[in-house]
Amino acid sequence: MKKRILMFGLFVLIVSSLSAQEEGFRIQGTIRFDSKGPIHVRLITEKEFMKKDEFVESLIFNTEKLGISEVEFSFENIPAGVYAIIAFQDKNNNGRLDHILGLYPSEPFGFSWKAKAKMIPRFKDISFDVNKDTRDLDIDTAR
């Protein structure tokens, strides 16, 4: 009888563990900005990092009507892995982060983990592991 109870408990533990992994994790934070234009928040993996305009998920906040200087973001049900966040203010409303000579962003931008880079940083400098809910990411696009 004890063996059956133990086996049933082990089965429930395995099933609940698999269920939790399928649901994924939450990534939350705040973006600060100081000018007008939509805020784009993009979640990327290393695969998308060097590919222009590719991302795992993207959020867009229309800040002009809100009269605010920060927004909170949340990505839901994200599988475990290594990710980074790129945020930018799309001042010319073309849906992408524009660059001067293809190197230095010409619009306000910021990265996860407060990477301070004048040009595009390395993925390892802005990435973070997601193996549990990630909260309190603070990204500043203000220059």
Side-chain angles (χ1 to χ4, degrees):
M1 183 68 167
K2 287 182 181 179
K3 189 175 184 179
R4 286 185 182 175
I5 292 173
L6 182 61
M7 291 299 285
F8 179 74
L10 185 58
F11 174 76
V12 169
L13 181 64
I14 290 171
V15 169
S16 65
S17 173
L18 291 174
S19 174
Q21 288 176 357
E22 289 174 10
E23 290 178 15
F25 302 102
R26 176 182 290 167
I27 302 171
Q28 294 176 289
T30 303
I31 309 290
R32 287 189 227 325
F33 53 93
D34 64 359
S35 58
K36 292 184 179 181
I39 299 290
H40 291 250
V41 185
R42 294 183 174 171
L43 181 68
I44 60 171
T45 64
E46 191 165 15
K47 177 183 171 187
E48 293 88 17
F49 180 64
M50 293 308 289
K51 295 180 180 179
K52 191 173 188 175
D53 297 327
E54 289 192 22
F55 43 85
V56 175
E57 284 196 37
S58 180
L59 301 170
I60 302 172
F61 298 94
N62 183 356
T63 61
E64 292 184 37
K65 295 179 182 175
L66 300 175
I68 57 175
S69 61
E70 68 179 43
V71 292
E72 293 183 5
F73 67 89
S74 182
F75 293 104
E76 307 289 333
N77 298 319
I78 302 301
V82 179
Y83 297 90
I85 294 177
I86 296 174
F88 66 94
Q89 191 151 32
D90 189 9
K91 293 176 106 176
N92 62 0
N93 211 15
N94 68 354
R96 70 179 83 166
L97 178 59
D98 295 318
H99 293 80
I100 298 170
L101 302 175
L103 298 173
Y104 185 74
S106 60
E107 297 173 301
F109 68 99
F111 302 101
S112 44
W113 300 123
K114 297 184 180 182
K116 299 293 184 191
K118 293 190 176 187
M119 293 189 198
I120 297 173
R122 297 175 299 183
F123 182 77
K124 71 179 189 174
D125 294 334
I126 62 171
S127 64
F128 55 95
D129 290 323
V130 173
N131 52 25
K132 61 181 181 178
D133 287 349
T134 303
R135 294 182 165 88
D136 302 325
L137 288 175
D138 189 23
I139 301 172
D140 189 357
T141 66
R143 293 188 188 185

